[in-house]
Amino acid sequence: MQATLYLSELETVPVDFFADPDGEWDYERLVAAAGLDPDVITVMIGALSEPWRDHPEGAAVLSAEGQPGFAVVECAAVTRAA
């Protein structure tokens, strides 16, 4: 899993919080990859509905109550064209 943290708002991110992320993941590993503590923070998990900033469609998007920004976590093996 590869996580990238962003300290910006989600308003311009094409995220669907009703969709499950693509790839192999479970809640605990996904939240840990984003650097969040699920026992202390309410975490929302969604998926990118289209590619965004070099992240593939289906990558996980995690947002936590009371935390600045959000994380994008790539769970699936991604093959990128050269």
Side-chain angles (χ1 to χ4, degrees):
M1 287 186 185
Q2 178 181 340
T4 306
L5 303 176
Y6 293 95
L7 294 176
S8 59
E9 299 296 322
L10 275 170
E11 296 169 352
T12 61
V13 179
V15 60
D16 179 354
F17 281 107
F18 294 104
D20 286 334
D22 291 344
E24 297 286 325
W25 62 274
D26 59 54
Y27 180 79
E28 289 79 15
R29 286 183 36 224
L30 191 60
V31 172
L36 302 171
D37 182 353
D39 294 328
V40 177
I41 300 170
T42 300
V43 179
M44 295 187 318
I45 300 174
L48 290 176
S49 58
E50 60 185 64
W52 181 77
R53 289 197 179 180
D54 292 330
H55 300 292
E57 179 179 347
V61 178
L62 289 87
S63 177
E65 182 179 302
Q67 297 294 304
F70 60 95
V72 176
V73 181
E74 296 180 24
C75 306
V78 178
T79 304
R80 297 178 195 232

